[in-house]
Amino acid sequence: MNIMRILAIETSCDETGIAIIESSGGLRNPKFKIIQGLISSQIKIHRPFGGVVPNLAKREHLKNLPILFKKLGSSARILNSIDLIAVTVGPGLEPALWTGINFAQEITKKDKKRLIGVNHMEGHLYSFLLPKKKTNISKSQNIEISKYSFPAIALIVSGGHTILLKMDSLIKWKRIGETRDDAAGEAFDKVARILDLPYPGGPEIEKLARVGNPSAVTFPRPMIHDKNYDFSFSGLKTAVLYYMRDHKDANKADLAASFQQAAVDVLVAKTIRAAREYNAQSIFISGGVASNKFLRKTLKKETQKIGCTFFAPDFKYNQDNAAMIAAAGYMTHLRKKKYPLRANGGLEI
Ligand code: KG4
Ligand code: ZN
């Protein structure tokens, strides 16, 4: 088996990530083994500002990259053992992306052949292929993890994007829907701010929603019945804002639960409708918002109802990380796709 050892660097937003993985199996049956996966989160730095401050992110990446790289061990030994260095080139915050690109160029010196640019969204897309923590049951009963098949629908939900892809294979897809305004994660973050919850808002809303009544307020489900697969979350966020303004003593847990229910209803309805229309065999979910257990549970249930198989990454690979960039680096390399080695904040999938 041809094994490729890949070092990856991720600095598109507020997590500095460095990982080493071993990849094999080729484009049809890629397999990944995590050798090292390091993340340094900047959440505490950005929290007082209620969101990510690009220049602070850049400063922190500059500080953290050499520290994480050193943790991998002797740089000479690491670089000798690596076949490919993968670095995120976009989408993301350009000052932040540049820190990763410059660092990757510095450590590879003149060895340009080994350096490859990676699309951050392809990283999220492939994150379900990264190894899963085995439960005791599956270890002892040796349960076969089911294999994905195509066509498939992929829902990528992060802080910056909400995208639906129709996939014919792991390397052939078409974007069939996206958000027309706020991304799903952005809506969670903004509603959290309205409810006076700290950044990042997604996990806080989820926590509060657990003790709230999801039917307390009927918020709009924007575009849920539209024929296309696009999303819109800005009106939903504004509806929460107006509700708070007009009901000063509203129960915040009820609002969090009602908002989460509305957002999940739309995400699930559109994904399932796309799966039906395209006769999908599998549904993949990824991105930071895929950490939301209510969304995962609801989508999984509806996926199974229509006879599809549901695939989601291990929880630690939903948020930005470098292991998923290494996996996407492997696929990008095998596809012979070349992204220019410069920051591209608006890079599309
Ligand atoms: O993928 P990600 O780490 O970064 C981007 O590429 O944007 O996603 C971050 C987003 C944030 O908006 C955060 O609030 C959201 O994912 N998020 C969640 C949850 N955990 C993180 N949203 C809803 N529920 C969660 N449990
Ligand atoms: Zn991301």
Side-chain angles (χ1 to χ4, degrees):
M1 199 165 37
N2 219 348
I3 294 179
M4 267 192 107
R5 216 173 152 90
I6 303 175
L7 169 75
I9 296 167
E10 155 64 34
T11 62
S12 68
C13 192
D14 58 349
E15 322 273 359
T16 318
I18 294 198
I20 296 178
I21 71 168
E22 281 182 358
S23 319
S24 59
L27 287 175
R28 277 183 171 272
N29 192 22
K31 295 206 168 9
F32 303 108
K33 183 174 166 199
I34 313 288
I35 308 298
Q36 297 248 32
L38 306 175
I39 295 181
S40 172
S41 172
Q42 305 176 4
I43 284 178
K44 282 202 189 109
I45 310 267
H46 299 286
R47 184 163 275 171
F49 302 94
V52 181
V53 184
N55 276 327
L56 280 184
K58 172 182 163 180
R59 188 192 74 188
E60 288 303 300
H61 289 310
L62 282 172
K63 190 181 87 195
N64 292 330
L65 280 168
I67 298 173
L68 292 188
F69 189 58
K70 216 167 168 186
K71 278 194 187 159
L72 297 176
S74 137
S75 61
R77 195 176 51 78
I78 294 293
L79 291 168
N80 268 336
S81 70
I82 294 295
D83 301 299
L84 194 70
I85 294 167
V87 61
T88 307
V89 293
L93 305 168
E94 291 194 355
L97 289 162
W98 273 121
T99 62
I101 297 168
N102 289 337
F103 187 79
Q105 281 175 327
E106 218 171 277
I107 59 173
T108 42
K109 304 236 164 51
K110 292 186 183 80
D111 191 3
K112 296 261 179 343
K113 277 202 304 286
R114 279 201 298 173
L115 186 55
I116 188 169
V118 170
N119 183 323
H120 180 82
M121 303 316 289
E122 290 177 21
H124 279 304
L125 174 64
Y126 291 130
S127 57
F128 82 95
L129 296 168
L130 294 169
K132 306 245 181 342
K133 230 191 264 148
K134 288 198 186 79
T135 63
N136 287 337
I137 301 170
S138 62
K139 246 190 221 162
S140 60
Q141 300 179 349
N142 201 14
I143 292 173
E144 257 290 290
I145 293 169
S146 46
K147 181 86 181 142
Y148 46 87
S149 47
F150 296 93
I153 296 293
L155 172 67
I156 312 179
V157 267
S158 69
H161 295 82
T162 306
I163 296 173
L164 266 182
L165 302 177
K166 182 234 169 186
M167 303 185 70
D168 293 318
S169 73
L170 278 180
I171 56 164
K172 188 164 174 252
W173 62 75
K174 190 175 136 209
R175 206 170 58 199
I176 56 169
E178 65 199 305
T179 182
R180 297 203 179 161
D181 39 57
D182 293 350
E186 198 179 349
F188 272 86
D189 293 339
K190 286 179 175 170
V191 168
R193 215 175 303 159
I194 295 169
L195 300 182
D196 265 333
L197 301 169
Y199 176 85
E204 302 289 333
I205 296 260
E206 179 175 15
K207 215 181 336 165
L208 195 56
R210 269 186 228 133
V211 293
N213 172 9
S215 319
V217 186
T218 309
F219 286 124
R221 270 83 171 145
M223 300 182 76
I224 196 165
H225 298 301
D226 288 20
K227 288 225 157 49
N228 57 57
Y229 295 109
D230 283 347
F231 301 92
S232 163
F233 290 105
S234 147
L236 171 56
K237 165 205 70 194
T238 311
V240 180
L241 180 70
Y242 288 165
Y243 194 91
M244 270 295 278
R245 187 194 60 189
D246 299 340
H247 304 81
K248 293 265 180 305
D249 53 356
N251 178 314
K252 287 188 182 172
D254 285 350
L255 293 189
S258 301
F259 158 75
Q260 180 175 265
Q261 182 74 58
V264 167
D265 279 355
V266 181
L267 290 167
V268 171
K270 293 228 152 180
T271 308
I272 294 295
R273 191 153 56 75
R276 280 177 184 278
E277 179 180 326
Y278 291 103
N279 196 21
Q281 307 297 302
S282 319
I283 290 181
F284 311 142
I285 187 176
S286 60
V289 184
S291 296
N292 188 291
K293 291 202 179 87
F294 179 62
L295 170 61
R296 274 167 98 108
K297 209 174 73 190
T298 314
L299 185 57
K300 184 175 182 182
K301 201 172 79 197
E302 296 302 316
T303 299
Q304 288 166 343
K305 266 194 210 163
I306 59 164
C308 283
T309 317
F310 178 77
F311 294 88
D314 213 51
F315 276 96
K316 64 172 180 264
Y317 300 125
N318 290 320
Q319 66 171 72
D320 291 346
N321 65 88
M324 71 182 196
I325 300 305
Y330 179 65
M331 305 299 277
T332 307
H333 171 75
L334 294 184
R335 284 163 70 199
K336 302 194 182 353
K337 189 159 173 65
K338 295 228 183 312
Y339 288 106
L341 279 166
R342 54 171 187 270
N344 182 353
L347 184 63
E348 292 193 338
I349 187 167

